[in-house]
Every structure is written in C-alpha cells, then in structure tokens.
Amino acid sequence: MSISMALFSPPISSSLQNPNLIPKVSSSLLSTKRFSLISVPRASSDNGTTSPVVEIPKPAAVAVEEVPVKSPAESSSASDNGAVGGEETDLGTAATVIKFEDAKWVNGTWDLKQFEKNGKTDWDSVIVSEAKRRKWLEDNPETTSNDEPVLFDTSIIPWWAWMKRYHLPEAELLNGRAAMIGFFMAYFVDRLTGVGLVDQMGNLFCKTLLFVAVAGVLFIRKNEDLDKLKDLFDETTLYDKQWQAAWKEPDSSTVSSKK
Amino acid sequence: MATVTLKSFTGLRQSSTEQTNFVSHVPSSLSLPQRRSSLRVTASRATPKLSNRKLRVAVIGGGPAGGAAAETLAQGGIETILIERKMDNCKPCGGAIPLCMVGEFNLPLDIIDRRVTKMKMISPSNIAVDIGRTLKEHEYIGMVRREVLDAYLRERAEKSGATVINGLFLKMDHPENWDSPYTLHYTEYDGKTGATGTKKTMEVDAVIGADGANSRVAKSIDAGDYDYAIAFQERIRIPDEKMTYYEDLAEMYVGDDVSPDFYGWVFPKCDHVAVGTGTVTHKGDIKKFQLATRNRAKDKILGGKIIRVEAHPIPEHPRPRRLSKRVALVGDAAGYVTKCSGEGIYFAAKSGRMCAEAIVEGSQNGKKMIDEGDLRKYLEKWDKTYLPTYRVLDVLQKVFYRSNPAREAFVEMCADEYVQKMTFDSYLYKRVAPGSPLEDIKLAVNTIGSLVRANALRREIEKLSV
C-alpha cells in the first residue's frame, strides 16, 4: 500500500517531479517483472510480501479480518472523513504520463494512407509499426481510455503479407534442412546397404525414417524444443489426471496427503 | 415391525414396502449378490434402518455450498446442522453468478445488485472488444454481494428445518466401525463476536465439508493439496459519473503486466467497483499486478477511493480425494473452481445440492444409514455432468493465457459473434453447446489465423529488441 500512496497521493501541484516519477517507477517495476517471468521472481524491496508462498493466504486472510471491523463504520460515515488515515486511499487526480504517440497512429488505428509506397500500402511497415507499438506498451503499459479507444485489428493486413514476411523465410529454412538431411541420409544408407535411392523409397523402414526426419525438422528447431514438447505433452494430460485422482485411491486406512 | 438397531443388524432391510418384492428371495445370503445385481441397488451394502431417529448430517461452512446442501438435506427429511464461523462474513469474491443459478436455486431478484449485460475484453496492447451483443433481453450475469447471498441461502436452509450454529469447526474424530458416528469438535460462539466461545462436541453420521479453500474438513480426511491462485481485489468507490460507465458493464484486462496466468478485472458491485487480479505462479508479485491493473483502468477509476482491500486463495483443480467414508467435500473445499474464468459460486452451490441429494437418496429420506458408496454416486454424477465444461475451460486457459500474443489472439477472437454466442450460452446455462459444424470450422481457422498473426508480431517485437 505504501507504493500506492507514493504513486497516487494527490499530486495537486503539477510539479515536474511527479509526472516523471510515475513512468520511471512503473517501467523499472515492469522490467524487473519481465525478467521474473523467466527466472525466479525476485522479492524486491517494493513488494511487501516476501514470505514463502504457502504462508500468503493465512496472513492475507487474517489481515482482511481486521479491515471489516473498521470499514463498515467508515463507509457508512461520509467518505470525506479523512481522519481514518490509511484505510481510505485516494486514487488521486490526473497526472500526465508518457503515452504512445506516432504520426501514423490516428484515432486508435493505423492510418493506412500514410503507409503508401508506389501507390500501394506497404504492409511490411504496418506490421513493423504495430510491433513497435506493442513493444512500447509491454514496457510502458498504458491506461485504456473511453475517449481514445484502440480499434486496430490485425486481420486488416492481408494473409499474403504475413505469408511473405514470416512463413516463406522459415519454410525456406526448414526445406533447406530437410533437403540436406535427406541427401546425406540417402547417401549413407546407400553406402551401408547398397540400396539405391529409388529402392529406398519402396522400403517401409526407409519411408518411416523419412517421415521421422520431416517431423523432426518441423517440430524440433532449437535444442530447447525437445523439452518443450515433452512439457507440452505432460501439460495436456495433467488436468485430467488431477480430476481422476479421486477415483484412483484404493480404500485404505493409511493415506498420506499427496498432490 | 422388528426394531432393528444399528449394532445388531443381521440381514436385509425389511421394513419398507417397496422392497417386499425381494424379501421373498432370501434363501441364503450367498445367493443375494447375484440376485441383487439385477435389481436396483440403492446402497452398495445392506445398510440398516435407523430405528428411532433420522440420519444426522453436519454441514461445515455456511457459504453457497453449505447453504444449498443444508437446504436440500433438511427438505429431504434429514436432521441437518450447519456450522458457520462468521455469520456476516464478506467473502472476497468477484460475485458473478450465471443466469441459470437464479432459476435453479429460486433466487429472489432483489439479491442481485446489478445485471451485467456487456463485457469489455482488453488486450495487452489495449485493443478493446465489446462482447454481449448476442445476449437476449432476459439474459444477464448477476452481480451479488456474498454476504447477502450467503445469508439468504442459510436462512432458507433454516426455514426448511436445518439448525444453524455459529461456531468454528476444529477437528473430527473418525469412527471406529463403519456405522459409528463421527465426533465433531467445534467452538460455539453463539453470536458473540470477539468472544472466545465454548468448546463443544457433536456426534453425526455424515459430514459435508463446505468450508472453502482452506478447508479443515479436507485436512482431517487427508484429502490432499491442490494448486491455488491468489485473487487480490480492491473495492473502489468512484465518482458517480464514472460509475455510470460501469452500470451494466464489466471489464477483463489480459496481459503480462496484469497477470502472467490469469486476468485482471473491474466488476461493478452495488455502489462501487471491485478492481482485482490473480495469479498462480507469481504470487509474490501480486501487488505489482494489482498496480498494473489499476494503471490500465486508471482513466476510468480516477478520483476513486479504495474502501477495502481483500485477498483469498482460489483452488485451481480438485483435491486428490474428494470424499472419505461418510465425509464428502463440496464447493471450494473440493476445488470446483473453473479455469480460465475462475468461476466458483454456481459450482459450489450445485455441488452442495448434488451431494445432499445423494445423501437423501442413499438414506431414503433419512431413514437409513449411508456409506461411502452413496457419496461416490455424487462424485460420479458431478464428474459426468461437469467434467466437459471444466476440460474446455482448461484448454482455453492453456491456449489463450499462455503469453501476450496468445492473449491478443484471444481478444481478437472475442470480437467474433459466433464466439460470443457460444461463450455466453455455455456460461449462462452451464452446458457445452454443440453449435453448427460449419461455424466451428470457420472458428477454428480464424483462431489459428489470429494465433499465427499474434505470434508473428511477437517475433517482430523480438527482432526489434535485439
């Protein structure tokens, strides 16, 4: 709550310190948070809850118990009773924040007329601009506003623009890998067994190898993909296992609590 | 009529007229299993008739699950005792109930503070999509205050004949034999707040654990643990002109800043809004997520005052054991909260009712002792009816709450009318509606398209960061 008090205590003075403080603090908070997605969440000093995870519900539940004792009294009395102190926190009046601004971003969407090149819309630059906007917002989340709603829909960009930019280069890469693997596998099998390429295609084992090679190239593109696929498989079956757990227990008197 | 007491039971139950048709089939106990398998078996084991009393069942916890269970038990002729530790408890809760709950539980319309008919989904890049265009005139999501709803259900249970006790359940002694009673130890407060209360014990034949996410009943039957999310919520009173925007509209914010695996929300309550968020994997950062949620809604809640801060755990999946002998768990204690939407009130009340119905049926309106088989019927019925719903919501959560691109795709998909219709149909009426196959194929193609585009943009973003 101390953070909220600091950020949202009424900045009636439009001093330069306040508005600049807000985006810096929020961006530092968010940049630490972004890394925390990958690594273990760091218990930053801003964050009041540093206790281990298991204990959180109990203190939170206990803390809540004390609040209701006070809040019925204070919410019934007029809300301009500021004497209660920490219980009622003002969200403050407007403070100026850096917002996303771009000459081509008009009325909550990209103005396609400004992206014209040689008389046709340059979809590539639309895609890049939208990516820039999303990156900006990830680093500096903005408030939504009813006066300036965001209306952009990525489906206005035609499918062939996406295809040319993303699918084709990757397809080229994967086909290249498959071709190289195919060529060398055909060579080695021929060397080892004497079976030529045409005869290899007629053999079931070789056809299976071919299938495995193609699937491997498609699904395993980085070293991490092997683990990712295994985790994905576990994930799809986990929820079902949790539900079926009630039916698995044999009726035994000695039961240990397990997940 | 022979007075068959519990301990000296030696044969078939004999007194009710509907079973006289196979009383004559009793040459010896050996041939019983074969013959009984062809007849409708109402108990998995021949349970004796209770001679001079009705079946006694205790319901621990007086929320929606406990209230619904106690009412159904009392109406079924069973001696019901409902133990609730805090009669005026304001459980931290989103407070949304689907339309079918109003009908199924005969809720009076005055306990619903607001009828939400519009929702706004807001993506990480603030693309906002309005949903609710497909709702018909009479359809809405009801927003209730938990203290009002819980009190109403408990009152109804009391009117049906249940005894409501203000007390805190401490522990229970398990019975030695299959038909001995459970001994419950509890502290009775008798309406005095802040007092220490008197320790008491009670003997009952069966227990329904409806005491919520930190269930003590679950602990005493070794039900096992579950993963849980922390839901953190601030109630904010905003100026009247801003409140008109939220008159019948609720908002859902998705994004890594708001929650890595859940969503942030602004739900309108009786005269204020509740702004909150939740997470399973990053519980330590919940305050940061709450700040981010408030930041995203800042324009719309500016000038508001925080009147209350609350938090509560929400189960993510059912406990490994949901029943043990004659103790069954219902509601949050069992872990019946859906993924993706985090909905729990309706499922709590429905599971309380279903469990109570199984007990009423198994005991033949309180005349007979029950055993674990009767309670297993409640689990079977529950899993059969609602497992598809839970599975679908789990898949939705896995696919669409994974990452920012997935969330962008999610919000894009929500703009589609067919999606809205399907979503609301399944939410309001709790059935996985089939829909038309052609539209399903179009939906699948559009979903894949949205996901591909959003992921492509993410790759672009990564290229920019390098």
Side-chain angles (χ1 to χ4, degrees):
Chain A
M1 290 323 294
S2 57
I3 305 173
S4 55
M5 296 281 274
L7 288 179
F8 295 101
S9 57
I12 305 169
S13 60
S14 52
S15 59
L16 283 167
Q17 275 114 16
N18 254 336
N20 289 335
L21 179 65
I22 296 168
K24 262 198 281 201
V25 171
S26 53
S27 65
S28 69
L29 273 179
L30 288 150
S31 51
T32 57
K33 187 205 63 53
R34 282 247 286 182
F35 287 116
S36 75
L37 287 173
I38 313 166
S39 58
V40 173
R42 283 184 262 151
S44 63
S45 55
D46 292 334
N47 198 339
T49 51
T50 51
S51 52
V53 170
V54 174
E55 287 171 39
I56 284 183
K58 301 288 170 5
V62 168
V64 167
E65 294 310 308
E66 295 159 60
V67 173
V69 176
K70 287 197 257 168
S71 64
E74 72 201 26
S75 40
S76 57
S77 68
S79 47
D80 34 32
N81 177 10
V84 189
E87 290 312 321
E88 291 196 352
T89 322
D90 252 317
L91 288 185
T93 48
T96 51
V97 189
I98 302 171
K99 280 172 66 133
F100 175 74
E101 262 160 23
D102 190 303
K104 303 195 183 116
W105 179 257
V106 171
N107 284 339
T109 186
W110 294 105
D111 185 8
L112 294 176
K113 288 201 267 302
Q114 298 192 40
F115 285 95
E116 293 208 354
K117 204 169 77 163
N118 304 331
K120 285 204 300 229
T121 353
D122 180 12
W123 294 112
D124 272 350
S125 53
V126 176
I127 293 176
V128 173
S129 307
E130 176 63 10
K132 283 207 191 112
R133 184 183 77 91
R134 289 193 183 183
K135 179 164 172 10
W136 169 272
L137 283 175
E138 267 187 28
D139 296 333
N140 315 290
E142 252 177 47
T143 164
T144 54
S145 149
N146 289 334
D147 306 318
E148 305 161 3
V150 174
L151 302 166
F152 180 67
D153 186 359
T154 54
S155 50
I156 62 169
I157 302 174
W159 64 275
W160 49 263
W162 297 101
M163 189 112 162
K164 264 172 49 181
R165 198 178 168 83
Y166 297 105
H167 179 77
L168 293 181
E170 187 155 349
E172 183 183 342
L173 192 71
L174 296 179
N175 274 303
R177 285 184 191 159
M180 285 188 271
I181 295 176
F183 175 75
F184 282 105
M185 287 304 297
Y187 177 77
F188 283 127
V189 172
D190 196 348
R191 209 47 215 276
L192 293 171
T193 62
V195 178
L197 181 62
V198 177
D199 295 320
Q200 274 180 42
M201 287 300 104
N203 183 312
L204 179 64
F205 178 65
C206 293
K207 281 200 263 212
T208 319
L209 269 185
L210 176 67
F211 180 75
V212 167
V214 169
V217 161
L218 272 178
F219 290 120
I220 304 176
R221 302 184 196 181
K222 298 204 273 270
N223 282 339
E224 299 86 33
D225 283 350
L226 276 165
D227 285 326
K228 236 177 38 172
L229 286 173
K230 188 172 149 327
D231 285 339
L232 259 176
F233 178 71
D234 283 338
E235 213 186 275
T236 46
T237 51
L238 178 65
Y239 195 56
D240 248 359
K241 280 200 217 121
Q242 286 166 342
W243 270 88
Q244 305 302 344
W247 301 102
K248 285 222 174 52
E249 310 288 321
D251 280 345
S252 61
S253 48
T254 57
V255 181
S256 54
S257 61
K258 53 179 162 63
K259 271 185 144 198
Chain B
M1 192 178 312
T3 51
V4 181
T5 63
L6 283 176
K7 297 272 188 327
S8 59
F9 171 78
T10 48
L12 272 183
R13 61 201 118 98
Q14 306 174 24
S15 46
S16 43
T17 46
E18 61 202 287
Q19 267 112 30
T20 49
N21 56 356
F22 69 86
V23 165
S24 52
H25 288 257
V26 187
S28 69
S29 51
L30 286 168
S31 62
L32 274 175
Q34 288 91 342
R35 291 187 203 259
R36 281 169 61 106
S37 60
S38 61
L39 299 158
R40 189 180 73 91
V41 179
T42 53
S44 61
R45 176 184 193 153
T47 46
K49 184 178 185 308
L50 297 163
S51 55
N52 50 3
R53 62 184 183 89
K54 292 195 285 189
L55 188 73
R56 279 189 100 201
V57 178
V59 179
I60 316 285
E71 186 192 354
T72 310
L73 285 174
Q75 279 172 354
I78 295 186
E79 189 186 337
T80 317
I81 305 109
L82 174 65
I83 303 183
E84 164 61 40
R85 70 175 169 99
K86 192 161 185 285
M87 301 310 240
D88 57 351
N89 191 25
C90 297
K91 161 99 197 295
C93 184
I97 59 170
L99 186 64
C100 57
M101 183 163 177
V102 180
E104 284 180 34
F105 289 87
N106 290 320
L107 298 178
L109 293 174
D110 57 356
I111 68 171
I112 297 178
D113 291 332
R114 271 177 204 278
R115 302 179 188 202
V116 166
T117 51
K118 300 201 287 269
M119 277 196 67
K120 223 186 211 12
M121 315 279 296
I122 296 156
S123 81
S125 64
N126 282 341
I127 295 175
V129 162
D130 287 304
I131 64 179
R133 296 192 302 264
T134 54
L135 283 179
K136 302 194 198 58
E137 278 294 314
H138 64 278
E139 293 179 336
Y140 58 88
I141 303 173
M143 304 301 292
V144 301
R145 266 170 292 169
R146 279 294 300 275
E147 55 273 25
V148 174
L149 174 71
D150 296 356
Y152 173 74
L153 289 174
R154 279 199 300 266
E155 218 179 87
R156 256 201 352 212
E158 206 166 9
K159 284 208 200 94
S160 306
T163 317
V164 178
I165 296 182
N166 179 213
L168 174 65
F169 169 79
L170 298 168
K171 62 181 173 89
M172 73 168 108
D173 298 331
H174 292 263
E176 304 95 38
N177 309 323
W178 74 272
D179 55 358
S180 322
Y182 284 86
T183 309
L184 305 178
H185 298 260
Y186 66 102
T187 311
E188 181 157 339
Y189 292 130
D190 198 21
K192 298 191 269 284
T193 49
T196 39
T198 43
K199 279 206 156 55
K200 288 200 172 155
T201 62
M202 186 196 303
E203 287 200 348
V204 293
D205 300 310
V207 179
I208 296 185
D211 45 348
N214 298 320
S215 169
R216 280 189 199 202
V217 177
K219 212 160 41 185
S220 61
I221 64 166
D222 271 334
D225 277 327
Y226 47 35
D227 299 317
Y228 62 93
I230 280 283
F232 188 93
Q233 178 170 268
E234 283 163 346
R235 310 237 195 153
I236 301 179
R237 185 165 286 133
I238 57 179
D240 284 333
E241 62 277 8
K242 296 214 172 295
M243 198 65 207
T244 53
Y245 170 70
Y246 288 112
E247 182 70 36
D248 55 356
L249 181 142
E251 285 179 331
M252 256 178 69
Y253 293 88
V254 286
D256 271 339
D257 54 331
V258 162
S259 167
D261 50 9
F262 205 59
Y263 60 89
W265 62 82
V266 178
F267 287 161
K269 301 247 176 211
C270 48
D271 59 355
H272 55 275
V273 292
V275 179
T277 179
T279 174
V280 181
T281 47
H282 291 76
K283 298 191 183 65
D285 297 333
I286 189 74
K287 299 245 172 102
K288 278 194 250 183
F289 297 144
Q290 176 68 13
L291 275 175
T293 313
R294 265 206 265 135
N295 184 38
R296 293 261 231 123
K298 190 152 67 151
D299 262 9
K300 291 173 265 196
I301 58 174
L302 210 49
K305 285 190 178 46
I306 298 178
I307 54 178
R308 205 186 144 96
V309 178
E310 48 196 18
H312 208 268
I314 300 182
E316 284 288 293
H317 63 83
R319 290 186 196 262
R321 274 160 67 98
R322 284 175 270 155
L323 61 82
S324 162
K325 305 228 180 55
R326 281 168 281 138
V327 180
L329 297 175
V330 295
D332 269 15
Y336 289 145
V337 177
T338 62
K339 292 225 170 173
C340 191
S341 58
E343 197 199 334
I345 305 183
Y346 172 76
F347 292 104
K350 199 71 203 251
S351 61
R353 176 178 277 193
M354 236 184 230
C355 183
E357 280 170 357
I359 294 182
V360 167
E361 199 184 306
S363 70
Q364 294 186 345
N365 291 73
K367 299 209 241 338
K368 284 170 52 277
M369 187 55 140
I370 58 161
D371 68 351
E372 189 168 325
D374 303 312
L375 290 176
R376 282 214 171 256
K377 290 214 184 68
Y378 133 68
L379 276 194
E380 265 169 31
K381 189 165 172 215
W382 181 261
D383 282 7
K384 197 162 76 110
T385 323
Y386 292 114
L387 200 47
T389 309
Y390 282 97
R391 278 211 191 105
V392 165
L393 285 167
D394 176 53
V395 169
L396 283 179
Q397 165 149 337
K398 285 206 180 79
V399 172
F400 288 117
Y401 284 4
R402 259 194 136 71
S403 57
N404 269 352
R407 296 182 190 115
E408 297 277 354
F410 179 54
V411 173
E412 250 182 51
M413 291 313 305
C414 285
D416 184 58
E417 284 232 0
Y418 181 67
V419 170
Q420 290 185 26
K421 194 167 97 52
M422 293 275 95
T423 311
F424 274 115
D425 261 354
S426 52
Y427 175 80
L428 293 174
Y429 303 109
K430 289 294 166 277
R431 45 159 199 254
V432 184
S436 85
L438 187 62
E439 297 277 345
D440 281 339
I441 294 174
K442 260 181 28 183
L443 174 63
V445 169
N446 283 337
T447 311
I448 296 175
S450 288
L451 282 168
V452 165
R453 287 197 293 265
N455 276 300
L457 273 170
R458 195 225 329 234
R459 270 189 281 166
E460 198 64 49
I461 292 175
E462 278 165 16
K463 269 198 261 173
L464 287 171
S465 329
V466 166

